[in-house]
Structure formats: C-alpha cells, structure tokens
C-alpha cells in the first residue's frame, strides 16, 4: 500500500484480512510509516487487525531483544490458531528475516536452512537481502534457550 507508488493501504489491509489474517508484524522506519505508508496504526485499528510495529531500516536486522519479542508475539498468535503476516515496505528482507526466524523457533522440526528455503520458495530469490539476515535465521536455529547469548548483534 505504498502511497508513493500509487498503492492503497486500506485495500491491501482488507485483502490481507480476507485471507483470514488479523495479525501483522510491520517492520519499517518511522519515516516509512509517516511518508510512504500512511497511518497504518489507525487503519489496522479500524479493521480490527492487531498490529505489532518494530522500527528497523531496510537491509538491516533487528536487535536480539527485538527479534525475540517479534517471534514471541507471532508464536502467541499461532498458538491461538490465528494467522500472522510479516510486512516491510521497501523490499522483502526485513519481513522474510522475521518470518524465517519465527519458523525455526516455532517449528522445531525445521532446520534454519529448511526455514530459509521455505521462505525463499514462498517469496522468491530476493527474500533475504543480506548475509546478516540469513545469519540471524541461522542463529535462531541454534539449539539454545536464549538466543541473545549466541551473538552480540
């Protein structure tokens, strides 16, 4: 729904909702939210969509704590049999990174490489934009109770 490219955020939100998705993780910068997207907080509230916003620049990865919070939020929704959608607004990398991390944590039968493959198959070869994004998913697949102990990112 990028207004700078003729998009219609409300239409896009309604399309997401028509797919049975009422939970969105939005990874963006404050400038993207304000100038490019529009007021997603107001529109999701009007539609009854639960929105979790995490400020993060394109091409980067979230902090360890931010990753843990987003993955926990997604896991909580999925445990209630609710659907979730991860979105970012200038590419795929941020959203696919969190989707991959969530897959590895929530489905302990998947390896990190299998999660990366699943996300890439669903979103295409540009799903992950940087090696850091791939590394984050791989670290989430490490057998540890506390991912924050694994790396100083």
């Amino acid at each position: 729904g990028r207004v700078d490219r003729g998009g219609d955020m409300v239409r896009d939100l309604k399309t997401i909702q028509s797919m049975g998705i009422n939970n969105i993780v939005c990874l963006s910068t404050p400038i993207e939210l304000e100038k490019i997207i529009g007021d997603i907080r107001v529109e999701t509230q009007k539609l009854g969509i639960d929105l979790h916003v995490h400020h993060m620049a394109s091409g980067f990865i979230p902090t360890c704590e931010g990753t843990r919070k987003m993955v926990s939020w997604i896991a909580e929704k999925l445990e209630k049999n609710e659907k979730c959608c991860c979105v970012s607004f200038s590419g795929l990398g941020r959203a696919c990174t969190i989707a991959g991390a969530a897959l590895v944590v929530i489905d302990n039968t998947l390896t990190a490489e299998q999660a990366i493959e699943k996300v890439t198959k669903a979103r295409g070869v540009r799903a992950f934009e940087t090696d850091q994004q791939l590394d984050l998913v791989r670290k989430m697949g490490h057998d540890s109770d506390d991912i924050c102990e694994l790396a100083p990112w």
Side-chain angles (χ1 to χ4, degrees):
R2 288 181 59 156
V3 295
D4 65 329
R5 294 191 180 161
D8 183 337
M9 177 183 45
V10 174
R11 183 195 65 224
D12 290 351
L13 290 171
K14 287 180 178 178
T15 298
I16 289 169
Q17 200 170 40
S18 75
M19 300 163 83
I21 300 167
N22 283 308
N23 302 290
I24 297 175
V25 175
C26 176
L27 301 126
S28 64
T29 64
I31 291 172
E32 286 174 324
L33 283 175
E34 179 184 331
K35 301 210 185 266
I36 297 174
I37 302 158
D39 204 341
I40 193 169
R41 287 181 173 98
V42 170
E43 297 304 331
T44 52
Q45 187 174 17
K46 284 181 190 175
L47 293 169
I49 295 172
D50 196 357
L51 178 69
H52 181 91
V53 175
H54 185 85
H55 296 301
M56 186 169 90
S58 181
F60 289 88
I61 60 171
T63 63
C64 173
E65 187 61 28
T67 302
R68 187 169 34 198
K69 284 180 181 178
M70 285 182 277
V71 169
S72 293
W73 188 85
I74 293 167
E76 178 184 303
K77 300 299 181 182
L78 294 178
E79 285 173 11
K80 297 176 186 176
N81 291 319
E82 298 178 20
K83 294 181 180 180
C84 295
C85 177
C86 297
V87 298
S88 52
F89 293 96
S90 63
L92 296 168
R94 293 175 282 185
C96 290
T97 300
I98 296 306
L103 278 172
V104 167
V105 171
I106 293 164
D107 183 350
N108 60 11
T109 66
L110 284 180
T111 66
E113 293 307 318
Q114 289 169 324
I116 290 167
E117 185 179 315
K118 247 183 140 115
V119 172
T120 302
K121 185 177 179 181
R123 300 300 297 162
V125 294
R126 293 181 26 224
F128 298 93
E129 298 168 334
T130 68
D131 289 339
Q132 284 182 316
Q133 292 171 343
L134 290 165
D135 288 344
L136 184 144
V137 176
R138 291 180 180 119
K139 288 173 184 167
M140 293 300 286
H142 192 277
D143 188 19
S144 172
D145 290 333
D146 189 353
I147 187 65
C148 293
E149 293 176 4
L150 293 177
W153 90 85

